[in-house]
Amino acid sequence: MCGIVGIASKNNCIDNILSGLYSLEYRGYDSSGLATIKNNHFEYSKNIGKISNLQKSVKNNKLTGNVVIAHTRWATHGKPSIKNCHPFIKDNCVLVHNGIIENYTDLINYYSIKQKNIKSDTDTEIIAEIYNKLLNEFNNPIEAIKNLNKKIVGSFSFAFLVHGSKSIYVTRRGSPLVLGSGEGFNAVSSDVLGLPDNTKEIIFLEENDIAEVNDSSILIYDKNQIIKREKHKFIPKKEFKVKGNYKHFMEKEIFHQPISIEDTILNFADKKRKVVYLPKTNIKFNEFSNIIIVACGTAYHSCMVAKYWIEEMTDFNVSIDIASEYRYRKNKVNKNSFGIVVSQSGETMDTLKCLNKFKKNNIFTISIVNVLNSSIARLSDFILPTLAGPEIGVASTKAFTSQLSVLALFVLNLQQGSKNINKIFFNSIFSIHKSVKEILKKENEFKKIAKKLVDTKSIFYIGRGAMYPIALEGALKLKEITYKHCEGYAAGELKHGPLALIENNIPVIVLAPFDENYSKLLSNIQEVKARGGRIIMITDRDGAKKVKKYCDQIVIIPKTNFLTSPILYSIPVQLIAYYLAVFLGTDVDQPRNLAKSVTVE
Ligand code: AGP
């Protein structure tokens, strides 16, 4: 997918533009360029290959500018070359574009575009030529865009410079654009990562919105009038490195999840168009039949959840493995596979070695990472970023729910590629962050559960289906930061041995959405109860009606579905572990014996 960055500033903003382009590298590209308007003249630099090549050209040309638009190109029409590089410069305007214009040949005829004016093989230059012509006709950049949008078939996000103006003009349909505002500047980008770090507020443009952005104002138009769009707070990277009003980074990161989950989802899903759009690649995922997913620790639990989703929602064969095991297996890799690695840090040695093993087997590699310039990201063929923001606490929380969010979107994307996307699941992802907020408001109920665990010697988590990996995650969280012995089990496994550990007052925390596994879970609860175990239930309203008489403690959380349950039930297990660690006085953010990134074997 191409990347767009634009800044209209009171000062020279070339450096911010370049760092914005670097932040968009993950989207995949083969060339890049930028243009500015200075003393009513257009100046520009373009280059193929890495952004560092563009940076050299900018330096050699001593290019500076206060109003700049820039682009990383992933070739769709026309091979990677300087002539096909954006921006496209015409007499009256400059254009960068992300998306595909399906009817560009019809437009050539409709607007009587002279072929001699077209120097590239791209659909984008046709649009630049048309807009150049419309500016002569309308002499109004906004009206010219309105006319243009009516005629285009396809997906686009455009950023224009216009002769005689110090504004950037943008519009989008089917390809995201986000606006950012800060002290002395306003910015546009294909996604949040491309915005300057001193951005204060962001606005996600909606379909067919048009905006005029200059160094002191943003005006947004729909078809007929100036409108207001919802503003979101932008959180710069440096803010993640301070605890603020929180006692621990882990607490801050748990409570950041409504934002991190929403940011991650909005980066890939368009509610209005009901589509998941991933960074562009030549690969057609649905031409494969096998998926291999590997990771370590918490990240591996996200792989386990993904296996349930993939098996239920697609026709793929999926195998998952712990990276430290997979890397030494003498397994045969089916050529019709692609490999996924999941890693918050992007530096975990075992996971990195598995990525190398995928590449040695010539299979396409995807990485789901939270650190975009990490070793794993740089080595992968395709990156799906989690937008959780830097995670400081050793115990992974917001990165985990963002990993689950990306995997859920990836599975929905596989589904939309082969059959109808599950609309109920798709629509539910846009309200996950609200349900997370509701669960976080019950923090005192989870504190009460934690309080009663202070003197226990062993704790059990159980769950069925996609709740089993969350039971493992809950147990891992407790082990990591409370140093208590805790086991997570598939509930159906208890009778195959672990039940021998259940004795009077041993706490068993049951993750129990009211779903098709619920009735079987009831019998597991009775098995525990009959042996004196203490039942702590995390369930929803319907589940609660059935088990009140068996429960010693119960917390009711919002209703979920097969796709959203693992994400939502992660929050209670994080809170229980956090509050128990606080009661026990352990080092929550830097627990003993552990490191945030395990770069050793
Ligand atoms: C999670 O709470 C742990 N800190 C640990 O299991 C972690 O998930 C694992 O080391 C993998 O790290 P990564 O996601 O950075 O690869």
Side-chain angles (χ1 to χ4, degrees), residues 11 28 134 143 182 234 268 275 279 345 404 499 558 575 581 589 595 598 600:
N11 310 303
L134 290 173
E143 290 308 313
F234 178 85
F268 292 115
V275 289
S345 62
L404 290 174
L499 204 56
L575 289 168
D589 287 327
V598 183
V600 294

Side-chain angles (χ1 to χ4, degrees), residues 30-63:
D30 42 54
S31 57
S32 61
L34 56 83
T36 183
I37 181 164
K38 221 166 28 178
N39 310 320
N40 217 14
H41 289 289
F42 296 133
E43 296 180 24
Y44 66 92
S45 274
K46 303 182 179 186
N47 222 320
I48 53 175
K50 290 295 178 195
I51 292 166
S52 49
N53 298 341
L54 174 67
Q55 191 159 12
K56 284 190 200 98
S57 313
V58 167
K59 195 163 174 250
N60 297 341
N61 301 343
K62 297 188 176 50
L63 193 56

